[in-house]
């Protein structure tokens, strides 16, 4: 990607993964890879299956979504941001929490000599627990950054029968580690474009239907790298080559225009493909000029055919980790210093929340002007949980480590431990403001609990937490500590939570609606002190 010079330099200087087999492979290592070989790591095999999800009804005023839009999330340089294969003793490592607002997580990474990049197990398990597939990256660097047509040619070698061993190996690796497909990003000028089309078609043909294969708008069939910034007749064959499906989706470069997107949507549909197979790139890194976070607020509206209308494609969010480590510049101050200062965690989470919920930080009440948030266009997803379902609102790191309300350790980071996180982070519905945040000082199990505090006058407010599909009869157990005036609502059933200065469990049975059971916290007029929710458990049936 043309905007990635800083990322290439970062990755080139990054240390190799210190433990286990590498997450990044060269072409020769790819072709030699075997499950029992030196570059394989049994500890990296994901153990969490992909959870089932469903699209939830919009909440509050947030009703102008296009239900067909999908969101791809691609932090820039995941081998640096998330490449540790095991748990670490550092609170302020990178995390992500807004899984219900995205559809796919791309492990975007790569250098000129190691272009095959595998997602770390912890991230795959966190994503799968929240119902989101994760795809690895095949990256061929620009010539200016050490890329070579010879490297691409080695990758595109055919066997005696004319097949591509690299395609077989990619499928084999994804199956072995149990992640969900590949993003192919070929930016090496002079590579064999026609052979790459054949490779993509073969990869798509031999990959299971549950795997997804994405292509990035760069290389053309004639071997030139010319970013089209739309689906055009020049790059169409990398998505659909006549009757051959060469990719499930295309990630469009960032210098798009509305007319180009309109023409591309038309071309996709004339070619038998959905316009939503086109993921329109948004480069959010504030130092660049395409769609810098919160400085360019118009690009999201520009994706619609008309105000409030359907979208011209899906969305690819590139470099959305700006809230973690963007250093700031003359145009945009730092959003947080969390990569260096663990005390700055609230601003880190606020930047991510603002990206999805908009300037109001409330998905139920999107901003009318300014940044309206990705969730104002794209749908939100609920979970069909395997029961018993338990969440302690654990985001995958902590200042301290807790078990059953007792401190058992210090600072830690392990995405594999992240829970299923709330569906809306954090909406409020009603006429009384409330502040909802992860509380890293009072975890019940893991590194964080959920803290809700009234913030002003008013009668009642609801904080919607989860959208779930449940069996008809379930038992709910909530562990909480805090003041009076709070109740947990599941569907149409509500139970007051006790007043307590210590963690206390409350359990009751409900008959849940089968279509969508919303779990919400109701804040009554009598609530003045905050409450912490340390755990919610839902079990099938209601026997003693």
């Amino acid at each position: 990607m043309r905007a990635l010079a800083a990322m290439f330099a970062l990755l080139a200087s990054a240390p190799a993964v210190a433990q286990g087999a590498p997450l990044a492979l060269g072409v020769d290592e790819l072709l030699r890879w075997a499950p029992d070989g030196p570059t394989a790591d049994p500890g990296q095999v994901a153990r969490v299956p992909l959870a089932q999800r469903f699209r939830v009804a919009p909440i509050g005023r947030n009703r102008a979504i296009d239900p067909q839009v999908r969101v791809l999330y691609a932090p820039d340089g995941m081998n640096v941001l998330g490449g540790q294969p095991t748990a670490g003793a550092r609170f302020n490592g990178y995390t992500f929490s807004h899984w219900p607002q995205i559809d796919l997580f791309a492990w975007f990474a790569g250098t000129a000599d190691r272009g095959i990049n595998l997602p770390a197990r912890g991230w795959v398990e966190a994503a799968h627990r929240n119902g989101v597939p994760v795809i690895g990256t095949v990256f061929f660097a620009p010539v200016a950054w050490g890329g070579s047509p010879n490297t691409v040619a080695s990758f595109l070698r055919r066997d005696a029968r004319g097949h591509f061993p690299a395609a077989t190996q990619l499928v084999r690796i994804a199956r072995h580690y149990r992640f969900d497909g590949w993003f192919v990003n070929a930016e090496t000028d002079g590579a064999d474009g026609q052979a790459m089309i054949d490779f993509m078609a073969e990869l798509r043909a031999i990959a299971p239907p549950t795997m997804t294969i994405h292509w990035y708008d760069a290389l053309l069939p004639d071997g030139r790298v010319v970013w089209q910034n739309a689906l055009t007749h020049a790059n169409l064959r990398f998505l659909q080559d006549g009757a051959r499906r060469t990719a499930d989706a295309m990630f469009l470069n960032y210098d798009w225009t509305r007319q180009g997107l309109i023409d591309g949507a038309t071309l996709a549909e004339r070619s038998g493909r959905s316009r939503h197979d086109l993921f329109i790139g948004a480069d959010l890194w504030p130092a660049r000029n395409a769609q810098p976070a919160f400085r360019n607020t118009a690009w999201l509206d520009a994706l619609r055919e008309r105000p409030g209308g359907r979208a011209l494609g899906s969305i690819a969010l590139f470099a959305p980790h700006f809230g973690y480590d963007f250093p700031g510049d003359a145009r945009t101050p730092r959003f947080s210093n969390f990569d260096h200062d663990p005390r700055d965690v609230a601003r880190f989470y606020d930047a991510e929340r603002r990206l999805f919920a908009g300037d109001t930080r409330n998905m139920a009440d999107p901003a009318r002007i300014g940044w309206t948030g990705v969730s104002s266009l794209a749908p939100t997803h609920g979970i069909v949980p395997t029961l018993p379902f338990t969440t302690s609102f654990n985001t995958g790191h902590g200042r301290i480590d807790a078990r059953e309300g007792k401190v058992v350790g210090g600072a830690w980071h392990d995405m594999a431990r992240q829970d299923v996180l709330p569906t809306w982070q954090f909406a409020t519905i009603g006429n009384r403001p409330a502040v909802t945040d992860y509380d890293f000082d009072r975890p019940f199990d893991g590194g964080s609990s959920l803290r809700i505090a009234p913030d002003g006058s008013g009668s009642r407010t609801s904080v919607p937490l989860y959208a779930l599909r449940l069996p008809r009869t379930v038992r709910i157990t909530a562990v909480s500590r805090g003041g009076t005036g709070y109740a947990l609502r599941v569907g149409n059933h509500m139970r007051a939570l006790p007043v307590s200065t210590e963690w206390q469990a409350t359990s009751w049975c409900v008959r849940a609606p089968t279509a969508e059971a919303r779990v919400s916290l109701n804040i009554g007029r009598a609530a003045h002190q905050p409450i912490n929710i340390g755990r919610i458990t839902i079990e099938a049936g209601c026997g003693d």
Side-chain angles (χ1 to χ4, degrees):
M1 299 182 181
R2 283 186 293 174
L4 304 191
M7 188 277 286
F8 296 146
L10 174 65
L11 290 178
S13 62
V17 175
Q19 298 178 0
L23 295 176
L25 305 174
V27 171
D28 289 342
E29 290 173 317
L30 166 71
L31 296 174
R32 295 194 305 266
W33 184 90
D36 57 354
T39 57
D41 184 352
Q44 282 296 303
V45 177
R47 298 163 294 195
V48 177
L50 183 65
Q52 185 180 350
R53 305 204 304 177
F54 63 97
R55 285 196 298 266
V56 303
I59 59 173
R61 292 194 307 107
N62 198 357
R63 301 191 176 279
I65 65 169
D66 181 337
Q68 301 304 312
V69 169
R70 291 172 287 162
V71 178
L72 178 147
Y73 199 81
D76 181 355
M78 277 305 297
N79 284 353
V80 175
L81 289 170
Q84 65 276 11
T86 58
R90 179 186 179 217
F91 170 47
N92 56 320
Y94 179 63
T95 64
F96 175 69
S97 62
H98 279 73
W99 302 105
Q101 282 69 52
I102 72 170
D103 297 85
L104 193 66
F105 191 96
W107 189 267
F108 190 87
T111 60
D113 59 340
R114 285 180 173 261
I116 316 302
N117 295 270
L118 287 57
R121 174 184 62 82
W123 280 84
V124 176
E125 292 185 347
H128 281 188
R129 196 173 287 119
N130 287 273
V132 174
V134 181
I135 57 176
T137 296
V138 177
F139 172 65
F140 296 107
V143 172
W145 290 94
S148 168
N150 293 331
T151 302
V152 185
S154 297
F155 178 82
L156 295 174
R157 284 181 296 192
R158 301 179 192 247
D159 62 21
R161 297 180 299 165
H163 295 301
F164 295 95
T168 301
Q169 289 291 83
L170 290 177
V171 173
R172 190 183 185 197
I173 287 172
R175 276 177 163 160
H176 176 76
Y177 288 116
R178 300 176 187 170
F179 60 90
D180 307 288
W182 292 98
F183 171 56
V184 181
N185 177 14
E187 299 190 66
T188 305
D189 200 68
D192 189 336
Q194 180 56 57
M196 185 65 79
I197 292 171
D198 294 340
F199 166 83
M200 291 294 295
E202 183 168 317
L203 177 61
R204 178 56 276 168
I206 66 174
T210 53
M211 284 189 192
T212 186
I213 308 299
H214 282 228
W215 174 258
Y216 173 61
D217 159 38
L219 184 68
L220 296 180
D222 63 7
R224 294 179 299 145
V225 171
V226 183
W227 295 268
Q228 301 296 291
N229 303 295
L231 183 69
T232 69
H233 288 287
N235 63 12
L236 171 63
R237 294 177 63 202
F238 289 101
L239 179 70
Q240 188 73 32
D241 185 28
R244 294 195 302 179
R245 187 181 181 94
T246 40
D248 297 309
M250 182 180 290
F251 185 135
L252 303 178
N253 193 54
Y254 317 106
D255 297 329
W256 44 264
T257 64
R258 285 198 76 253
Q259 189 59 52
L261 298 181
I262 292 169
D263 294 343
T266 301
L267 178 58
E269 289 162 353
R270 285 178 179 171
S271 303
R273 299 297 295 270
S274 168
R275 64 172 62 188
H276 297 100
D277 292 344
L278 305 176
F279 282 73
I280 302 164
D283 183 358
L284 300 171
W285 195 248
R288 299 189 285 257
N289 295 318
Q291 295 83 25
F294 315 136
R295 201 171 76 242
N296 178 346
T297 62
W299 69 265
L300 194 61
D301 288 337
L303 301 188
R304 297 183 187 268
E305 289 182 331
R306 54 181 175 76
R310 68 189 295 224
L312 295 166
S314 292
I315 305 171
L317 300 174
F318 180 70
H321 61 291
F322 55 84
Y324 179 66
D325 60 359
F326 171 63
D329 61 20
R331 296 180 295 182
T332 307
R334 282 195 78 124
F335 294 98
S336 87
N337 196 38
F338 187 55
D339 60 331
H340 296 298
D341 184 357
R343 296 170 298 179
D344 204 14
V345 64
R347 289 205 302 159
F348 165 62
Y349 277 90
D350 179 72
E352 186 179 298
R353 189 177 309 171
R354 185 181 178 192
L355 174 62
F356 290 100
D359 289 341
T360 65
R361 278 71 163 180
N362 185 355
M363 293 185 190
D365 187 23
R368 293 172 174 83
I369 59 173
W371 176 245
T372 59
V374 173
S375 67
S376 68
L377 175 60
T380 290
H381 302 272
I383 288 286
V384 184
T386 300
L387 300 186
F389 167 79
T390 297
T391 178
S392 296
F393 307 98
N394 178 18
T395 61
H397 61 167
R399 291 192 178 103
I400 56 177
D401 199 355
R403 296 289 187 278
E404 301 293 324
K406 305 297 183 182
V407 176
V408 297
W412 65 277
H413 183 288
D414 184 1
M415 285 295 289
R417 292 178 55 188
Q418 189 184 77
D419 286 331
V420 176
L421 296 176
T423 307
W424 302 277
Q425 297 174 50
F426 287 101
T428 56
I429 301 173
N431 60 7
R432 186 179 188 186
V435 176
T436 305
D437 284 300
Y438 296 112
D439 189 337
F440 296 97
D441 294 321
R442 296 173 183 83
F444 178 75
D445 196 83
S448 49
S449 62
L450 199 63
R451 182 182 186 272
I452 303 99
D455 185 26
S457 61
S459 57
R460 288 182 173 84
T461 289
S462 174
V463 179
L465 297 177
Y466 288 96
L468 305 171
R469 282 187 178 157
L470 299 172
R472 178 60 70 180
T473 304
V474 294
R475 177 179 291 277
I476 311 296
T477 302
V479 177
S480 63
R481 58 186 285 184
T484 188
Y486 297 94
L488 194 68
R489 186 183 186 102
V490 181
N492 294 321
H493 302 265
M494 190 160 59
R495 177 62 60 97
L497 297 176
V499 180
S500 175
T501 58
E502 303 296 332
W503 293 112
Q504 186 169 331
T506 307
S507 186
W508 70 102
C509 292
V510 304
R511 286 178 60 82
T514 56
E516 178 184 322
R518 185 176 296 177
V519 179
S520 303
L521 186 79
N522 282 24
I523 305 173
R525 190 186 298 273
H528 297 289
Q529 299 300 316
I531 192 170
N532 282 66
I533 311 296
R535 176 187 287 167
I536 295 174
T537 301
I538 303 176
E539 301 169 280
C542 215
D544 293 331

